[in-house]
Amino acid sequence: MDKRRWLKPAVFLGIFAAIVVLGIFVDNPLTASRTEVGACLKGNVDNAESIRDVECGTPEANFKVVGKQGGKSEGGLLLSGGSECDEYPTADLYYFQGKRTAANGTLLCLENLKNPGARLPAVGDCLPGDVFAAKKIEKVDCAGAQYKVLAIERHAELADPACVSVPSTDTKLTWQTGDGGLIPRERVLCLDELK
C-alpha cells in the first residue's frame, strides 16, 4: 500500500482553495444588474472600468446607489438627459451599464458622497430673494422667502416653453446639476413670487 495516496487529493484541494481565495480578493469590475440600492461604489463614473463595489463608510466610497432601473438603453438616456433619476432627490449623477441601442441595460442613480452638487428643490420648497444671483440654490423657511416652487419641468424647447401649464408662475429659474454624469441634468423651476 502506497503511503502517498493522500498527496494527490491534498494538492488538488490546495489549488482549489488558492483559486477561491484569489477570487475573493481580486478587484472585479462592477456588475450594475447585481448592484442593489444602498450599495456604495468607488471609482470615476466617466471611466466605467474604474467602478467597483466598496463597503459603505470607508474612505474609498465615492458614491451611494439611491435608485436602480433596468431595461434602459444608452441612447434613451442621452435623449432623456438622465430624467429617470429625477425621482430620487439625492441623485447627483448616474451610471449606465449596457449596450447603446438594446434596451436591456441597467441605470444606477448615484449620490455623490464626496462632492454632492446642489440638490434640486422640490415642489412646495421656498427660496430666498437672491436666488438668481446665488451660485447655489438655498432652500429657506417659507415665512421669510420670496419665491415658492410651483412646478418643475424639463428644460424648455423654443416650440414648447416652460411653465405654460402653470398659469400662476411669476418667474422661471433654470437649474442644472453640478459636475459628473454623462450629461448635466437641467430643469426649469416655475416660481410664485411671494412678496
Side-chain angles (χ1 to χ4, degrees):
M1 191 187 244
D2 188 6
K3 293 184 179 182
R4 295 187 195 181
R5 286 182 123 173
W6 60 270
L7 187 59
K8 196 173 192 179
V11 168
F12 284 122
L13 187 59
I15 291 171
F16 177 75
I19 290 171
V20 169
V21 168
L22 283 174
I24 291 171
F25 293 107
V26 169
D27 199 18
N28 292 321
L30 176 75
T31 304
S33 62
R34 290 191 295 219
T35 301
E36 296 300 322
V37 172
C40 290
L41 308 174
K42 67 178 181 176
N44 178 350
V45 292
D46 294 325
N47 177 4
E49 299 300 318
S50 73
I51 301 292
R52 305 280 191 265
D53 288 310
V54 69
E55 193 71 32
C56 290
T58 62
E60 297 99 10
N62 294 330
F63 311 106
K64 183 173 186 178
V65 179
V66 294
K68 177 180 176 180
Q69 297 177 15
K72 301 294 178 188
S73 71
E74 187 176 9
L77 289 174
L78 291 172
L79 291 174
S80 71
S83 62
E84 292 84 354
C85 290
D86 283 354
E87 65 185 89
Y88 310 105
T90 60
D92 297 307
L93 54 147
Y94 59 89
Y95 174 82
F96 173 76
Q97 192 171 65
K99 297 190 180 193
R100 182 173 293 273
T101 55
N104 61 358
T106 302
L107 170 71
L108 299 179
C109 301
L110 307 176
E111 177 181 359
N112 190 334
L113 299 174
K114 303 277 179 159
N115 187 23
R119 303 278 189 238
L120 177 67
V123 172
D125 283 347
C126 292
L127 309 173
D130 63 351
V131 72
F132 290 94
K135 291 183 179 180
K136 183 176 177 183
I137 296 177
E138 301 278 341
K139 295 179 247 182
V140 296
D141 184 83
C142 288
Q146 183 156 351
Y147 302 101
K148 185 172 188 173
V149 180
L150 298 175
I152 300 170
E153 298 183 359
R154 290 195 60 206
H155 183 66
E157 302 295 331
L158 291 176
D160 185 24
C163 302
V164 293
S165 63
V166 187
S168 56
T169 297
D170 293 319
T171 190
K172 304 170 212 168
L173 174 68
T174 301
W175 174 90
Q176 187 173 334
T177 56
D179 59 337
L182 297 172
I183 295 177
R185 291 179 12 228
E186 191 169 271
R187 302 293 174 261
V188 176
L189 306 179
C190 306
L191 303 177
D192 178 26
E193 191 163 359
L194 301 175
K195 296 182 181 182

